[in-house]
Amino acid sequence: MRKIHVIGIGAGDPEQLTLQAVGALRSTDVFFFLDKGEVKSDLTGLRRDMLEAHLPEGTYRVVEARDPERDRSAGGAAYAGAVEDWRGARAGIYERLIAEELGEDETGAFLVWGDPALYDSTLGILEEVLDRGTVAFEYDVVPGISSVSALAARHRTGLNRVARPVQITTGRRLAEGFPEDVDDVVVMLDAQQAFLRYADQDVDIYWGACIGTADEILVSGPIAEAAPRIERLRAEARERKGWIMDTYLLRRNPKDR
Ligand SMILES: C[S@@+](CC[C@H](N)C(=O)[O-])C[C@H]1O[C@@H](n2cnc3c(N)ncnc32)[C@H](O)[C@@H]1O
């Protein structure tokens, strides 16, 4: 039976690779790298560095494939359809990789940024491949340090206040409104700087870009003061690198609800 590890590799700092993840790397014959356009060289390079740091040369293979682009123009009702189509296309690629590039008795691995449980589709896609029934395999999941954990650690803060909830959401959702009944909100996948909408409210922001990498930028404080700084630093970093990954915690003063 083919085996697959889905390995969380941390949010960018190679030292966030856990001992369990290193153990899983060592038991892998074939690594599948799916590249994503502009972030390709940086992220693929980082993954290669991790393998070289922990595995003897010549003991593993790397197979690269192109991740299909999602139709990002689709909004409203078409959005779910676009995501569905994209998942289907990715499942086809994973299915082919596993069937053609992994021997019957071999172990393959997908290295997932951060933790596979958070805004990552690898597990859903593997289930879809299994449902198709064309190739059989077993898989396990190795948790990783998510960008959310890394953000909280770098700002030396907790995510929730005492006995209070915290919600993790996307920039797209935050742009629609601050979640009801929750005052601590972690935002990921925000291409539109949705936090700007709350710049006149009694909210603190803990923001981090490229956390754990040499390009890391951290800003925190009352949002009215921090937001213009974040806007500027974000634009500069995007200009310099061509892409940016940022995550932030918004902490609202309850009376502003
Ligand atoms: C597709 S999600 C993947 C999340 C990942 N599974 C995790 O556990 O962090 C990508 C989003 O994660 C966040 N992210 C990932 N790495 C980051 C980093 N090094 N610094 C800041 N944010 C990061 C950003 O919000 C980015 O838009």
Side-chain angles (χ1 to χ4, degrees):
M1 179 72 116
R2 293 174 171 92
K3 288 205 180 98
I4 296 203
H5 299 308
V6 179
I7 308 174
I9 56 169
D13 181 345
E15 296 205 343
Q16 286 174 3
L17 211 56
T18 65
L19 294 176
Q20 192 183 7
V22 172
L25 296 182
R26 292 201 173 134
S27 67
T28 298
D29 303 295
V30 185
F31 293 94
F32 298 115
F33 286 9
L34 286 116
D35 75 63
K36 278 198 213 281
E38 78 274 25
V39 295
K40 173 188 165 168
S41 53
D42 289 12
L43 302 193
T44 301
L46 214 132
R47 289 184 170 110
R48 280 196 184 271
D49 291 348
M50 284 181 182
L51 299 189
E52 279 164 25
H54 296 286
L55 306 177
E57 216 185 307
T59 58
Y60 59 91
R61 309 196 296 282
V62 173
V63 177
E64 289 192 37
R66 175 88 200 183
D67 224 348
E69 294 290 338
R70 201 174 86 204
D71 176 7
R72 289 180 192 277
S73 62
Y79 177 76
V83 171
E84 199 58 30
D85 289 351
W86 176 65
R87 273 199 174 210
R90 294 182 85 196
I93 292 170
Y94 282 48
E95 184 180 33
R96 183 187 61 74
L97 288 174
I98 297 165
E100 295 177 7
E101 304 285 353
L102 191 64
E104 288 279 356
D105 299 320
E106 284 190 317
T107 299
F110 292 93
L111 307 186
V112 172
W113 206 247
D115 181 42
L118 206 50
Y119 291 110
D120 184 84
S121 45
T122 309
L123 302 179
I125 292 169
L126 291 180
E127 281 297 325
E128 187 166 334
V129 175
L130 284 173
D131 281 351
R132 291 180 177 196
T134 53
V135 58
F137 57 89
E138 290 172 346
Y139 73 96
D140 61 12
V141 180
V142 178
I145 294 179
S146 73
S147 53
V148 177
S149 299
L151 173 83
R154 294 296 288 132
H155 283 290
R156 300 184 301 177
T157 184
L159 295 173
N160 63 289
R161 279 171 284 179
V162 179
R164 303 285 299 272
V166 56
Q167 185 171 118
I168 301 174
T169 190
T170 62
R172 186 183 275 262
R173 293 260 175 193
L174 185 75
E176 290 164 6
F178 210 99
E180 299 263 327
D181 300 328
V182 181
D183 295 312
D184 294 84
V185 179
V186 176
V187 184
M188 306 176 77
L189 293 160
D190 185 1
Q192 51 192 326
Q193 303 187 89
F195 60 85
L196 293 174
R197 192 180 150 171
Y198 306 96
D200 62 349
Q201 298 189 17
D202 188 2
V203 170
D204 288 328
I205 186 166
Y206 299 83
W207 178 82
C210 306
I211 302 163
T213 74
D215 299 311
E216 177 178 279
I217 320 170
L218 301 170
V219 175
S220 64
I223 195 165
E225 292 160 28
R229 229 179 124 218
I230 295 172
E231 258 193 299
R232 181 173 53 76
L233 291 169
R234 199 176 182 281
E236 284 170 8
R238 263 189 82 98
E239 178 74 26
R240 206 169 49 244
K241 280 170 73 76
W243 61 279
I244 192 168
M245 285 211 279
D246 59 343
T247 304
Y248 52 90
L249 166 68
L250 293 181
R251 176 156 287 164
R252 177 168 63 172
N253 182 333
K255 77 174 162 35
D256 244 21
R257 205 187 273 168

